[in-house]
Amino acid sequence: MPWKAISPIEVYKLLPKTNCKKCGEENCMAFAVKLVNMETKLELCTPLLEEAKYKKSYEQLKEMLTPPVREVELRSDKKVVKIGGEYVLHRHELTYINPPPIAIDVDDTMSKEELIKRINFAESFRYTYIGRQLTLDLIAVRSVSNDPEAFKKTVNFVASNTSLPLVLCTLNPKVMEAGVSALPNGKPLLYAATKDNWMEMADIALKNKLPLAVFSPGDLDMLVSLAKTLLNMGVSEIALDPGTFVGFNGLRTTIDAFTMLRWKACNEDYDLAGWPLIGTPITAWKMVDGDSQTKAWWEMITASMLIIRYADLLIMHSLEGWVYLPLVMLRFNIYTDPRKPVAVEPGLRIIGNPNEMSPVMLTGNFALTYYIVSGDIEAGKVDCYLLLADTEGIAVECAVPGRKLLPDNVAEILKSSGIEKKVKHRILIIPGKAARLAGDIEDATGWRVLVGPLDSKDIPKFIEEKWKPENIKKLMES
Amino acid sequence: MAENDKTEVLSAKIWDLLKKYGEIVLEDVEIEVDELELIFQPGVPVAIAKPVAKAVEVVKKLVEEKFKEPEMEWTGKIVEVKIGATKSEGGTRDRTFIIGGETLPAFYMFKGIMPHPPVIAMDVFDMKIKLPKSIRMHFEDVMEDPAEWAKRCVEKYGADMINLHLVSTDPYIKDTPPSEAAKVVEEVLQAVKVPLCIGGSGDPVKDVEVFKKVVDVAEGERILLNSLNLDMKLEDIAEYLKNKDVVIIAFTPMDLDKARELNRKLYDYVSKDRIVMDTNIAGIGYGLEYGFTVMERARLAALKGDTDLQHPIAAGVTNAWAAREAWIKMDPFWGPKEIRGPAWETITGLTALLAGADYFMMMHPYSIRTMKEIIKNLLEGSPGKAEDIYDWVSAKLG
């Protein structure tokens, strides 16, 4: 059955109902509401954990709130990365929970310089988007040498040079054992158990209490058989890799496998599919012919499709900023909670030190619009007033045809913001993309409208050319 | 002999595991139970050999965990919309396209392949407009001549169709009169033989006049009109289109209720198989998630039986270029804009593809090539072979 919203009343009944506020909420009902919206963690209710009389309730609640795709935590000394933990197949059914971390690979035949270069790439990758930091998340250490000692040395070196959690990649149990022994702390993901090595790999995972990935390319029967086997043996956390095929020979198999596995987990309660899915776009480097740019391109393309189709972790090889930039933004978009528009408060923003003759500009309250426009204005050192109309978090170019930027709302915000007392002129600069509304806004507000540039990067130039005393005078008098 | 040695090692292992876990699971092991007993017999007491044999039986059962394909039932079907008309059908096109007809969510290939492959159309404008350099460089010399521009798209870049945008008719741009705009349509109809999609300027009043003229000059060609929306006087334009051989894009801005409302209004004038919906898509970082989810919801609702949404979906993937990351110069770390741009457009297109879009409006030749290749991989590709990737973990990569 597809995920059904749990009633907060059902949850509330099982909570202590003491309103002790230890969870940080005002009362147990508020906590219950947050729990069913997946906005808080059950474990924040400490009495539930500590007091024996609540033990049964806790178990029941845990069962109720466990996602159909189990959550697995990977850790380094400094960072925690969660994978899986998903409730729904489609984001509109609730929201997606944990954005799939991207792991950059290194291998045990690389020189120290190369290792450092790749680690630094992953560590320093950072892109600021609507005020959030988008990053890369993991290092995947592969054994190419197939030599336990070499792998151990590399894992050790990587671990001491990165803050990111690791994925240890080898199909040779002896090599895996050596790698694990180099990591006394932390919780890496072991990649991978296969039809050939599962017994020994399970042994290592059990001994070290580590999560173990199952790799069964193109064979879902084997994948679930292995999953079942490992779980029966006592491995407590697993992840599933049905194989990432790139291009004509298998992309279809891969998209089908990810779709079927996630469907089975979310819509049919099929436990064996209810684990994080691992995508390895890195296989583009094996399967695609051509130069490294071509391989990187197809790696990116494959990764983007797997972000849409349910991957919970991606292992990649490229070392190009352009490969990851669209991916981290796509990932951010898709994992944004659809229940909350990415909006900022509408109203007045003061940029720089404006005076009574400074320009007044209008834009929407889509978070991205605000960050870009204000960033451009600040960069151009323009002192001005920026009015954010309530476009319900929609970008201006969609808000205009979508009638989310209405002249009446503009009139309202001119009044409520108090801008009429701050400036002497009555000229409103509107976005170039809202040019069509110029006349209607003039009619609704009584202000003169000056149509600004199509892109906010041109605002400084626009102000320099157009915002001159003689122009202002002319506009006010016309 | 060697085979026997292997089996013996295996037996020892089984024994170890039995001690540890009480029960084990084996797969891909091709030894028979009595074969196992035979090997155990010399050194191991018969009484112990028996549980081993039993364990192997358990193993066989467990190994047979079959992955059962998802069970699902979809009751709705997307209408099939035919675009273009050949000579025998009263037009002059070399070929026509049918889009729609789906009975499954996008790319659920384990249940079936989509009946008609998606169509990739390229944008052409009726005047030289500002375009990002990485697109402009492919069309610089033909941007003053829409007919040549269209030819380039079809002949060099393999466009299935042409989206001709009559942007110059915008009262705020050139305010080109409808009759003049219609001439450009005639020129493009002469220049290329693929079906055409004709767009206006987005001005709801002017577009009505422009569309009337366009439909008249393209009579019989079954063009796709881009687009009718709720801001227009539908009783005027839809009434005019009623008995013309033309299909329509119904545009609504990321709002399912409005999409239903517009479709229902149009049903008063045209049959369902003449309507394609555009629920609006935005580029990565610029509202893509809204567009994606509205599109996905529209398609799923249609398949579940919502008869107001059972139309093929058009996606204005070119919107991806509104994202600055697609065209501005950035720190060299992020690579040249010449590659970021097509990456943005392609990934935005793939997002729409996986949400269920059927008709794609795009611009960059490399994005179009990649989209076509992905569609081919998905619709015609061969199953993955394990040996192709099995050793990725230990492969030395470039």
Side-chain angles (χ1 to χ4, degrees):
Chain A
M1 282 301 291
W3 187 83
K4 284 269 184 322
I6 308 162
S7 143
I9 302 291
E10 294 298 304
V11 172
Y12 175 75
K13 280 184 197 158
L14 294 166
L15 290 173
K17 297 188 279 282
T18 54
N19 299 334
C20 72
K21 301 186 186 179
K22 282 181 185 157
C23 61
E25 300 303 323
E26 271 307 298
N27 50 55
C28 291
M29 192 61 208
F31 185 61
V33 170
K34 284 212 163 178
L35 277 175
V36 299
N37 287 332
M38 314 305 156
E39 290 167 344
T40 187
K41 289 275 170 196
L42 185 59
E43 283 66 26
L44 288 178
C45 178
T46 46
L48 210 53
L49 299 179
E50 287 158 7
E51 294 174 38
K53 58 180 171 179
Y54 299 132
K55 192 164 184 286
K56 216 179 137 204
S57 299
Y58 173 65
E59 296 299 330
Q60 266 178 283
L61 281 165
K62 221 179 143 155
E63 173 75 27
M64 275 168 82
L65 297 165
T66 295
V69 178
R70 256 57 58 88
E71 187 174 82
V72 174
E73 217 175 80
L74 310 181
R75 278 195 306 271
S76 66
D77 291 348
K78 299 188 180 88
K79 286 190 174 142
V80 175
V81 169
K82 292 174 182 168
I83 59 174
E86 301 299 335
Y87 290 86
V88 291
L89 186 67
H90 305 110
R91 65 187 283 276
H92 64 262
E93 295 169 82
L94 177 72
T95 177
Y96 290 154
I97 306 287
N98 292 313
I102 296 175
I104 302 296
D105 89 306
V106 299
D107 79 58
D108 63 357
T109 63
M110 287 173 177
S111 66
K112 282 190 176 169
E113 291 70 37
E114 201 170 354
L115 292 172
I116 289 290
K117 184 177 132 199
R118 297 183 70 84
I119 292 168
N120 283 350
F121 178 85
E123 292 267 350
S124 64
F125 182 100
R126 196 161 297 273
Y127 190 68
T128 308
Y129 168 68
I130 59 167
R132 325 289 165 89
Q133 300 295 318
L134 307 183
T135 58
L136 300 177
D137 319 277
L138 302 168
I139 304 283
V141 191
R142 300 187 299 123
S143 173
V144 168
S145 72
N146 206 28
D147 169 17
E149 274 312 302
F151 191 59
K152 185 175 172 179
K153 240 171 97 182
T154 305
V155 171
N156 190 27
F157 181 82
V158 172
S160 45
N161 282 287
T162 184
S163 65
L164 305 174
L166 305 185
V167 183
L168 302 184
C169 307
T170 173
L171 304 186
N172 180 338
K174 288 208 171 63
V175 173
M176 184 63 88
E177 204 151 21
V180 170
S181 75
L183 271 186
N185 304 315
K187 190 182 168 202
L189 171 66
L190 307 185
Y191 184 104
T194 66
K195 64 181 166 59
D196 303 314
N197 70 13
W198 58 270
M199 247 190 253
E200 295 91 334
M201 284 294 183
D203 207 17
I204 299 168
L206 277 167
K207 250 194 285 178
N208 298 283
K209 298 193 176 65
L210 293 174
L212 177 59
V214 180
F215 177 45
S216 173
D219 186 348
L220 290 175
D221 288 340
M222 179 56 71
L223 188 77
V224 292
S225 301
L226 284 168
K228 191 168 187 176
T229 308
L230 297 180
L231 294 167
N232 283 354
M233 286 171 78
V235 176
S236 59
E237 293 179 309
I238 61 172
L240 308 172
D241 181 358
T244 300
F245 297 97
V246 178
F248 192 80
N249 294 314
L251 176 67
R252 178 174 165 171
T253 306
T254 296
I255 296 299
D256 266 353
F258 276 79
T259 306
M260 287 195 282
L261 285 164
R262 189 51 45 96
W263 175 290
K264 294 287 284 188
C266 293
N267 292 352
E268 294 181 24
D269 293 327
Y270 182 52
D271 278 353
L272 292 178
W275 293 94
L277 302 179
I278 298 186
T280 60
I282 187 172
T283 50
W285 290 78
K286 264 187 70 67
M287 291 192 77
V288 174
D289 293 327
D291 58 12
S292 60
Q293 179 140 320
T294 307
K295 289 171 195 272
W297 174 265
W298 287 101
E299 182 180 37
M300 171 188 75
I301 292 299
T302 309
S304 72
M305 297 180 76
L306 290 178
I307 287 173
I308 302 285
R309 281 285 162 100
Y310 320 130
D312 299 296
L313 187 156
L314 294 168
I315 301 177
M316 299 183 64
H317 181 67
S318 300
L319 226 51
E320 305 277 359
W322 60 263
V323 166
Y324 298 101
L325 185 59
L327 296 181
V328 294
M329 287 177 66
L330 174 71
R331 175 177 72 174
F332 181 87
N333 285 167
I334 296 295
Y335 279 76
T336 297
D337 190 338
R339 298 168 298 180
K340 302 173 196 157
V342 195
V344 291
E345 274 297 301
L348 178 67
R349 301 290 194 282
I350 294 173
I351 301 180
N353 296 301
N355 59 34
E356 57 191 24
M357 285 312 282
S358 296
V360 178
M361 298 189 226
L362 176 79
T363 190
N365 76 327
F366 177 33
L368 179 69
T369 305
Y370 169 64
Y371 283 105
I372 289 184
V373 174
S374 61
D376 284 333
I377 297 174
E378 278 162 17
K381 298 195 169 55
V382 179
D383 296 314
C384 71
Y385 297 99
L386 181 61
L387 278 172
L388 307 181
D390 186 358
T391 55
E392 297 174 25
I394 305 287
V396 173
E397 65 200 286
C398 295
V400 174
R403 292 192 285 192
K404 302 279 187 204
L405 183 65
L406 296 170
D408 287 345
N409 295 354
V410 177
E412 206 283 317
I413 197 131
L414 282 173
K415 288 230 152 25
S416 65
S417 65
I419 188 68
E420 287 168 325
K421 293 197 187 100
K422 290 192 189 322
V423 293
K424 279 192 169 160
H425 65 80
R426 289 291 179 268
I427 301 168
L428 180 64
I429 301 173
I430 67 168
K433 284 173 181 154
R436 188 162 299 138
L437 301 176
D440 292 343
I441 291 177
E442 287 196 340
D443 293 346
T445 63
W447 283 48
R448 295 310 311 269
V449 164
L450 189 56
V451 176
L454 282 169
D455 194 288
S456 62
K457 76 168 177 15
D458 299 325
I459 287 176
K461 200 175 104 211
F462 177 86
I463 294 296
E464 199 188 308
E465 288 169 4
K466 299 276 168 71
W467 198 258
K468 291 179 179 154
E470 63 270 26
N471 287 354
I472 298 170
K473 201 164 158 241
K474 213 161 43 181
L475 262 172
M476 289 309 296
E477 283 164 2
S478 62
Chain B
M1 265 333 274
E3 198 56 45
N4 260 351
D5 288 346
K6 230 169 109 186
T7 318
E8 237 162 345
V9 174
L10 197 67
S11 309
K13 222 183 253 169
I14 292 168
W15 183 239
D16 271 0
L17 273 162
L18 263 180
K19 280 191 292 187
K20 229 185 274 174
Y21 304 116
E23 165 184 304
I24 54 160
V25 183
L26 268 185
E27 33 69 29
D28 250 26
V29 182
E30 292 172 19
I31 40 171
E32 294 300 324
V33 172
D34 45 352
E35 201 182 323
L36 244 172
E37 280 175 334
L38 206 84
I39 295 160
F40 272 119
Q41 260 159 6
V44 186
V46 176
I48 297 174
K50 270 191 178 152
V52 174
K54 196 176 159 224
V56 174
E57 274 162 16
V58 171
V59 164
K60 278 189 174 163
K61 212 171 101 206
L62 279 176
V63 167
E64 280 167 20
E65 175 73 19
K66 280 272 176 214
F67 182 83
K68 287 199 210 82
E69 277 185 9
E71 285 168 30
M72 52 185 75
E73 201 184 326
W74 304 95
T75 53
K77 184 183 175 188
I78 309 304
V79 296
E80 291 180 323
V81 175
K82 189 176 144 224
I83 312 168
T86 59
K87 271 207 183 95
S88 63
E89 295 160 329
T92 60
R93 306 297 88 197
D94 278 350
R95 66 157 301 174
T96 58
F97 288 101
I98 294 174
I99 53 174
E102 293 93 338
T103 52
L104 289 167
F107 299 98
Y108 276 37
M109 296 156 293
F110 49 95
K111 287 286 177 198
I113 294 294
M114 71 194 292
H116 306 288
V119 170
I120 313 283
M122 283 179 85
D123 290 334
V124 170
F125 297 84
D126 71 338
M127 60 180 275
K128 190 166 183 170
I129 60 155
K130 270 194 160 183
L131 286 176
K133 196 181 148 209
S134 51
I135 299 174
R136 208 171 63 225
M137 59 194 267
H138 300 283
F139 305 105
E140 193 85 69
D141 55 322
V142 292
M143 286 177 69
E144 310 262 11
D145 186 344
E148 281 306 309
W149 191 344
K151 250 184 167 167
R152 168 89 37 100
C153 292
V154 173
E155 286 166 13
K156 189 163 179 194
Y157 300 124
D160 293 331
M161 281 181 51
I162 295 295
N163 304 307
L164 175 62
H165 300 273
L166 303 172
V167 286
S168 77
T169 59
D170 192 319
Y172 291 94
I173 300 178
K174 279 190 183 169
D175 206 11
T176 307
S179 54
E180 221 172 288
K183 274 185 204 145
V184 180
V185 175
E186 284 183 298
E187 282 167 34
V188 176
L189 277 168
Q190 287 291 326
V192 295
K193 293 296 162 197
V194 298
L196 294 193
C197 169
I198 308 292
S201 66
D203 184 292
V205 178
K206 181 73 181 280
D207 277 358
V208 168
E209 298 315 311
V210 173
F211 286 167
K212 285 180 181 171
K213 273 274 179 267
V214 165
V215 167
D216 285 347
V217 301
E219 182 67 56
E221 300 285 6
R222 204 173 171 88
I223 58 165
L224 179 60
L225 213 50
N226 181 22
S227 55
L228 300 199
N229 59 59
L230 286 168
D231 292 333
M232 285 175 158
K233 254 195 193 158
L234 294 175
E235 63 275 21
D236 184 357
I237 183 65
E239 174 67 34
Y240 192 85
L241 300 175
K242 204 170 177 175
N243 298 314
K244 309 267 179 184
D245 192 19
V246 56
V247 285
I248 296 162
I249 294 180
F251 176 88
T252 45
M254 299 192 189
D255 185 329
L256 272 194
D257 292 332
K258 292 208 168 113
R260 286 191 190 95
E261 184 190 337
L262 177 57
N263 289 344
R264 278 200 298 263
K265 284 188 173 165
L266 292 173
Y267 297 159
D268 290 344
Y269 303 94
V270 299
S271 55
K272 281 197 173 182
D273 63 359
R274 289 173 61 192
I275 302 172
V276 176
M277 333 186 262
D278 181 347
T279 51
N280 200 6
I281 186 91
I284 308 166
Y286 279 67
L288 174 116
E289 67 272 35
Y290 297 93
F292 169 71
T293 285
V294 167
M295 198 181 279
E296 189 169 64
R297 285 180 59 196
R299 178 50 56 87
L300 295 173
L303 294 172
K304 282 178 187 162
D306 186 331
T307 51
D308 293 339
L309 294 171
Q310 292 169 341
H311 298 276
I313 298 174
V317 178
T318 312
N319 289 349
W321 293 91
R324 308 165 135 221
E325 286 85 352
W327 55 271
I328 56 166
K329 191 168 187 253
M330 295 173 77
D331 182 284
F333 178 85
W334 304 107
K337 57 180 187 286
E338 285 76 11
I339 194 156
R340 269 185 275 119
W344 234 256
E345 189 181 12
T346 310
I347 296 175
T348 302
L350 290 171
T351 305
L353 185 76
L354 292 172
D358 300 273
Y359 182 79
F360 295 80
M361 306 183 227
M362 301 182 67
M363 286 203 84
H364 197 286
Y366 201 69
S367 307
I368 286 151
R369 214 171 95 188
T370 307
M371 280 293 284
K372 288 196 152 195
E373 199 161 333
I374 289 288
I375 290 167
K376 191 173 167 212
N377 292 344
L378 291 174
L379 298 185
E380 300 164 28
S382 340
K385 290 198 290 282
E387 61 267 30
D388 284 347
I389 57 169
Y390 199 70
D391 68 340
W392 75 264
V393 164
S394 56
K396 189 72 194 164
L397 303 173

